[in-house]
Amino acid sequence: MDPLLGTCSLTELRQRKSFKWATYPPDVLPAFVAEMDFAVAEPITRAVTVALARGDTGYAHMGQLGEAFAQFASDRLGWQPDPARMFAIPDVMTGIAEVIEGITPPGAGIIVNPPIYPPFRFRFGFYRRHIIDAPLARDSAGRYRLDPDAIEAALARPDAAVYLLCSPHNPTGNVWSRADLEMVADACQRHKVALLVDEIHAPLVLRGARFVPFLSLDHELTRADSTFAFTSASKGWNIPGLKCGLAVAGSAVGARLLRQRWEALVASHLGILGSVAAFTEALPWLDAVLAQLDQNRVLLTRLLAEHLPGVGYAPPRASFLAWLDCRALGLGDNPAEVFREKGKVALSRGPDFGPQGHGFARLNIGTSPELIEEAVRRIASAL
Ligand SMILES: Cc1ncc(COP(=O)(O)O)c(C=O)c1O
């Protein structure tokens, strides 16, 4: 591995006290929650430790966050967002929930595309909103795509108020094309349904795929009052514990909504400092991660063919999550349970991603090749 990423020594990782490393006893190898195992990028460590040394631990100020992200978006994503439309948020899910609270009444339906990141399915219930499923379509090779008919049927429901698109998609690793995004935008516009786009995994789009930021499209809906995009350095640079994301409003009215709700959306000051360092100074680190993840997804193809030929896997085109079709193994709805109990390796539970996740499990490959090999060995030993 590139020295920038550290060694992923298991002894050192086990000293971490984060959710990934503290949830299970030491005999279980954690490969579930979306945290990576790489060493933190040095510019981020420096920004945070300098702040601590200065006693600079007060409330957040947006500082250079908007400009830093705008520069990153321009250099890497081909998009020139306006910092005046950007707002720091504590994390992407809180930003999405707050916007949904602001633009829909209780009882509103939120359209999602399962299999999907589990909090999309339960978080909005806290605010008396419910989920409307527009499942992804899946071909025989295990590749997923947006299903225009399912989307149309969901949008046509009278309770449909928001379409929450995950772009790139967790857990399938899809990177939606310009045509996909235009199809979604046209459909939302036709049905007068708000569009929120979660782009948290965008910095991790891998070689061979091209990410299109939704707000960079030349489409009327990108300027609508109820169109918002959400992003963060938290996945790309593995800093969810620093608590900082970004909401980008499509219009001045949307920006006003975010400004009015500032008190519900206060980010962590250290998170803002760390995120600025990530977007501006930690690009060599990001490139090292992208190269490693590209290798890891290929390695997993080889390891599965060798040790687990019954498992279906279409390599992700973005990020570090591998969505494994374990239905042929005959382990029931929740194979992750069997892997953890018998193989001592913890994957994410497929059914949490919706009914389409029955018989599936999600493996985190944001780690060293050695630990991926160990995870596969443990899964195989459970069978
Ligand atoms: C699609 C997606 N959105 C949001 C999140 C959570 O991000 P945050 O901690 O900023 O709420 C994740 C975390 O894995 C995710 O995969």
Side-chain angles (χ1 to χ4, degrees):
M1 287 204 305
D2 189 308
L4 288 175
L5 305 183
T7 60
C8 294
S9 137
L10 204 46
T11 317
E12 285 173 21
L13 288 168
R14 290 211 186 279
Q15 291 173 16
R16 292 187 180 178
K17 294 182 168 49
S18 64
F19 192 66
K20 181 173 185 182
W21 291 96
T23 297
Y24 294 108
D27 62 332
V28 173
L29 180 69
F32 65 114
V33 67
E35 295 177 24
M36 295 192 284
D37 291 344
F38 307 126
V40 177
E42 191 278 331
I44 299 176
T45 310
R46 187 162 20 96
V48 172
T49 49
V50 164
L52 290 173
R54 288 181 182 146
D56 187 9
T57 51
Y59 289 112
H61 185 281
M62 182 81 179
Q64 294 305 303
L65 182 64
E67 290 73 14
F69 177 70
Q71 189 63 50
F72 173 76
S74 171
D75 292 348
R76 295 289 180 119
L77 309 177
W79 174 36
Q80 283 78 38
D82 177 0
R85 295 268 169 87
M86 288 179 214
F87 295 83
I89 53 178
D91 55 71
V92 162
M93 285 309 294
T94 300
I96 293 173
E98 195 60 27
V99 167
I100 285 179
E101 231 266 322
I103 65 172
T104 68
I110 317 297
I111 299 169
V112 299
N113 301 119
I116 187 70
Y117 177 58
F120 277 26
R121 304 192 64 75
F122 66 79
R123 175 77 182 258
F124 315 118
F126 303 164
Y127 310 91
R128 292 196 290 137
R129 275 69 170 174
H130 59 270
I131 290 303
I132 302 174
D133 280 338
L136 298 179
R138 187 171 181 277
D139 69 16
S140 55
R143 283 181 303 251
Y144 288 85
R145 60 175 176 79
L146 290 169
D147 180 347
D149 294 336
I151 292 170
E152 191 59 35
L155 286 166
R157 277 178 48 160
D159 51 338
V162 170
Y163 185 152
L164 174 55
L165 179 70
C166 191
S167 172
H169 193 87
N170 172 2
T172 65
N174 276 92
V175 178
W176 306 122
S177 67
R178 187 174 294 274
D180 289 327
L181 298 176
E182 282 168 355
M183 179 271 289
V184 167
D186 287 344
C188 287
Q189 192 173 31
R190 212 170 335 106
H191 289 276
K192 297 191 171 35
V193 164
L195 180 58
L196 309 187
V197 189
D198 177 342
E199 300 186 342
I200 195 169
H201 290 279
L204 292 174
V205 168
L206 301 175
R207 191 167 57 86
R210 181 161 156 59
F211 172 72
V212 181
F214 181 76
L215 292 179
S216 75
L217 290 185
D218 184 15
H219 193 287
E220 208 184 320
L221 200 78
T222 61
R223 298 178 288 278
D225 295 344
S226 48
T227 298
F228 295 83
F230 300 85
T231 191
S232 175
S234 68
K235 292 295 133 196
W237 287 266
N238 198 37
I239 50 173
L242 293 183
K243 296 309 269 184
C244 173
L246 271 159
V248 190
S251 79
V253 171
R256 195 175 320 130
L257 178 133
L258 292 167
R259 203 173 298 115
Q260 278 167 350
R261 287 173 177 252
W262 67 270
E263 165 33 48
L265 294 174
V266 179
S268 147
H269 180 51
L270 296 177
I272 290 184
L273 298 175
S275 301
V276 170
F279 290 130
T280 56
E281 294 178 73
L283 301 177
W285 186 94
L286 182 67
D287 288 336
V289 168
L290 294 173
Q292 190 59 51
L293 296 182
D294 187 26
Q295 281 181 34
N296 288 358
R297 63 181 171 163
V298 176
L299 170 68
L300 185 61
T301 305
R302 182 171 65 70
L303 290 172
L304 292 176
E306 218 169 283
H307 302 287
L308 291 160
V311 170
Y313 160 67
R317 306 192 74 216
S319 210
F320 53 92
L321 305 166
W323 183 236
L324 305 183
D325 179 355
C326 306
R327 289 175 299 175
L329 302 181
L331 301 175
D333 279 352
N334 187 12
E337 198 66 17
V338 181
F339 299 153
R340 188 169 56 79
E341 277 172 11
K342 296 204 177 144
K344 302 287 178 198
V345 56
L347 279 69
S348 296
R349 305 153 41 94
D352 292 348
F353 294 76
Q356 297 73 9
H358 287 190
F360 287 73
R362 193 191 71 182
L363 175 71
N364 181 335
I365 56 170
T367 188
S368 64
E370 290 74 20
L371 289 184
I372 294 173
E373 281 174 33
E374 178 63 17
V376 171
R377 199 187 57 73
R378 289 183 185 222
I379 295 171
S381 78
L383 302 180

